[in-house]
Amino acid sequence: MTVTTYHEFGESDFEALLTMGIKLWKEFDKEELKNLMEQSRTSGRLKILLAKNEELHYAGFVMASVRIDYVEGANRSPTGYLEGIYVEPEFRKMGVARHLIEKAEHWLKQNNCSQIGSDTWLTDRESRNFHKKMGFWEEEEVVHFLKNLS
């Protein structure tokens, strides 16, 4: 069950992307995530790449963007950003994520980015370990606070 194709997102990929996106971003409901993905696709600063196997089953996706706002620890703008990456469980540990990230990095370099940032939850050890295996380093740990004003 090897992955044979990597391609840029097309309209026919939307449902598969949404299905995988829901698995990655569990905090979003389907309609909210659908709206965010539709808005993101028209920004011009976002690249979505998908992987399929020889039977044309979706194996995963990567979503990368070019950010011109501040990215923690970056020393130059624009900065690439790994907005999300997901690989279906049966395709993990086969190099799919690495290939997707490499293809995203190539696109980011073409868009004048010399660094790529990313983020994950402080408690998500699996994601933190994955990022380190992909060559990322931890820049800082942050806790966000919020207070209602009455």
Side-chain angles (χ1 to χ4, degrees):
M1 190 176 343
T2 60
V3 173
T4 57
T5 64
Y6 294 87
H7 68 276
E8 193 169 331
F9 172 80
E11 288 302 317
S12 63
D13 300 310
F14 191 82
E15 283 303 316
L17 178 63
L18 183 60
T19 299
M20 290 186 286
I22 289 168
K23 293 175 186 177
L24 176 62
W25 295 298
K26 296 174 179 76
E27 66 274 12
F28 288 98
D29 68 47
K30 186 175 182 175
E31 205 55 39
E32 183 181 15
L33 187 56
K34 182 178 178 179
N35 290 336
L36 283 171
M37 286 182 162
E38 287 172 346
Q39 291 169 7
S40 297
R41 290 183 309 163
T42 60
S43 75
R45 295 185 183 272
L46 183 77
K47 177 71 88 175
I48 302 171
L49 301 165
L50 295 112
K52 288 184 180 178
N53 73 355
E54 58 274 349
E55 289 88 26
L56 301 179
H57 294 113
Y58 288 92
F61 76 91
V62 66
M63 191 178 295
S65 69
V66 175
R67 291 192 177 184
I68 54 174
D69 55 333
Y70 177 71
V71 172
E72 287 82 1
N75 57 24
R76 188 168 165 231
S77 182
T79 304
Y81 210 81
L82 181 63
E83 301 292 347
I85 185 162
Y86 177 80
V87 175
E88 293 285 5
E90 63 268 27
F91 294 100
R92 293 181 184 166
K93 309 246 187 254
M94 298 171 68
V96 176
R98 184 171 302 282
H99 281 357
L100 286 167
I101 288 176
E102 286 171 357
K103 290 181 180 305
E105 288 174 349
H106 178 74
W107 176 75
L108 290 166
K109 287 177 191 175
Q110 290 176 324
N111 283 273
N112 300 317
C113 296
S114 60
Q115 292 182 301
I116 180 172
S118 186
D119 61 64
T120 191
W121 298 109
L122 187 63
T123 56
D124 191 342
R125 294 270 178 231
E126 183 180 1
S127 180
R128 290 173 76 172
N129 289 335
F130 166 79
H131 279 81
K132 289 175 187 173
K133 286 179 186 173
M134 294 297 115
F136 288 83
W137 65 84
E138 291 187 6
E139 185 59 32
E140 61 185 57
E141 293 182 357
V142 177
V143 177
H144 296 269
F145 293 92
L146 188 64
K147 179 181 177 182
N148 288 329
L149 301 176
S150 47

